[in-house]
Amino acid sequence: MNAAALYDLSPVIWLMLTGVVLALGPLAWVWLRNRQATRASRLQALTVLTLFLTFDLVLFGAFTRLTDSGLGCPDWPGCYGNASPVGAHAEISAAQQAMPTGPVTHGKAWVEMIHRYLATTVGVLILVLAVVSWLDRRRQDRRTGISPWWPTLTLLWVCVQGAFGALTVTMKLFPAIVTLHLLGGLLLLALLCVQAVRYAQRHNASSVVAVSPVLRRLLGLGLVLLWLQVALGGWVSTNYAVLACTEFPACQANWWPEMNFAQGFELWRELGLTGDGQHISFAALTAIHYVHRLMAYLVIAVLAILAWRLRAEPALRRPANWLATLLLLQFLTGLSNVVLDWPLLAAVLHTGGAAALVVVLTWSLATTRSSRQAAAASPSVSSIAA
């Protein structure tokens, strides 16, 4: 029996071809808008556009998860072995008829496949960035671009992210895998953000902002706490623990409700179950929710102080304003999720706000240097972005 009989590769091929076709649009747009620009400028524009599309991908991934469309096509990468829900019409109809409100419906199948098409498109763009970066490295003066290892690392990570996407489906929304998939998407954003900043620094050395060592450390602390809070938020969402507390600021009419931390933070288990196969308790869901809420108070306080400190630097007032605005958005959308019974728009915006905060803090950290480091470092542009 040959390999083709064991596994049908046509969905993989069609998905890849779809990604290539869809990526032609952004590639043509960048080329047309930057025909007179240098190669480095075109790469910078493509990096920024890919960053924007990756942000859209994170938002659509949240929409996919929150509409329970993650298993809209219960296989991977195709849909019942087809490249689109059109070819799987009969199978989807049968599943929908058997369970009209179940995980497989025509609408959910399309949501899931559109998410995969967009992810493949982003993957193709990142592949182009990596290949062109290496070609430019061989042809041009190294000072005109950034190290090709940055887009190469991003390409490797997008492959890992694709594997998490496959495991999300094949392991039936395993909470740890889904949470890692969310974090992986945000890490992809951070990698692209650093590359965009590096290109800007290559073109303009003054874009590097010297700040006090205290502010630099505060930026690092804020980013670390944000990542921890995003992980906790992902754990809340993937365990469907948002409605374990439906009031604010108390929870279940208590300031310290009944909680089961051991069950709630048992990481390797199936959705809705404990490690030994028992149904997870409501006290465990409460613990998941309340830890995220308590951590939010600390994160908001630290990031609010950071926004205030950043405003004192004229070159950093814009990210300071973004940081303050996004903090307010996160508070309002988080509160709406609790008291308004988890509305879809607020939930998607809450994920989008977290992604935007990652971008703002990553951009700020990549843009700044400690004043001590800046004084000791060479002023050449190449040493800044290598």
Side-chain angles (χ1 to χ4, degrees), residues 220-258:
L221 174 63
L223 190 57
V224 169
L225 290 176
L226 176 63
W227 276 103
L228 178 58
Q229 179 67 352
V230 169
L232 290 172
W235 194 241
V236 171
S237 180
T238 56
N239 282 281
Y240 297 87
V242 175
L243 300 181
C245 298
T246 56
E247 55 187 281
F248 181 86
C251 175
Q252 301 167 17
N254 287 288
W255 291 105
W256 193 259
E258 180 185 356

Side-chain angles (χ1 to χ4, degrees), residues 13-263:
I13 295 172
W14 278 109
L15 187 65
M16 293 174 62
L17 288 175
T18 301
V20 170
V21 171
L22 292 175
L24 290 176
L27 289 171
W29 186 81
V30 168
W31 185 83
L32 289 172
R33 284 182 59 89
N34 299 273
R35 280 176 293 180
Q36 307 302 322
T38 63
R39 285 178 179 269
S41 295
R42 287 199 291 269
L43 272 177
Q44 181 184 19
L46 183 57
T47 301
V48 172
L49 181 57
T50 305
L51 173 64
F52 173 76
L53 292 176
T54 303
F55 183 83
D56 293 340
L57 176 61
V58 170
L59 280 181
F60 200 82
F63 178 79
T64 302
R65 182 179 71 254
L66 294 165
T67 55
D68 294 323
S69 301
L71 297 178
C73 289
D75 54 337
W76 190 92
C79 192
Y80 287 98
N82 295 275
S84 79
V86 174
H89 186 273
E91 292 87 346
I92 296 172
S93 296
Q96 184 171 340
Q97 184 175 4
M99 191 180 296
T101 59
V104 180
T105 66
H106 288 285
K108 292 178 180 179
W110 274 111
V111 170
E112 170 65 3
M113 287 307 297
I114 290 173
H115 177 59
R116 295 181 193 179
Y117 297 149
L118 181 56
T120 307
T121 302
V122 168
V124 171
L125 293 176
I126 291 173
L127 174 62
V128 171
L129 283 170
V131 172
V132 176
S133 295
W134 279 108
L135 291 176
D136 277 5
R137 187 73 160 188
R138 297 170 65 92
R139 294 173 182 170
Q140 298 183 349
D141 189 331
R142 293 189 177 191
R143 291 175 296 177
T144 62
I146 65 171
S147 170
W149 287 110
W150 274 110
T152 301
L153 176 60
T154 308
L155 177 61
L156 292 174
W157 185 252
V158 84
C159 293
V160 173
Q161 186 65 353
F164 277 127
L167 290 173
T168 295
V169 176
T170 58
M171 295 183 69
K172 307 302 180 186
L173 305 182
F174 208 82
I177 297 298
V178 179
T179 302
L180 287 173
H181 192 47
L182 169 64
L183 293 173
L186 298 186
L187 180 56
L188 193 58
L189 274 177
L191 288 170
L192 289 166
C193 181
V194 170
Q195 290 169 65
V197 171
R198 291 290 184 262
Y199 275 118
Q201 291 172 342
R202 283 292 191 187
H203 295 158
N204 181 13
S206 64
S207 62
V208 179
V209 181
V211 297
S212 69
V214 173
L215 180 54
R216 177 78 173 167
R217 287 194 291 268
L218 186 59
L219 271 169
L221 174 63
L223 190 57
V224 169
L225 290 176
L226 176 63
W227 276 103
L228 178 58
Q229 179 67 352
V230 169
L232 290 172
W235 194 241
V236 171
S237 180
T238 56
N239 282 281
Y240 297 87
V242 175
L243 300 181
C245 298
T246 56
E247 55 187 281
F248 181 86
C251 175
Q252 301 167 17
N254 287 288
W255 291 105
W256 193 259
E258 180 185 356
M259 292 179 278
N260 188 326
F261 295 98
Q263 275 191 13

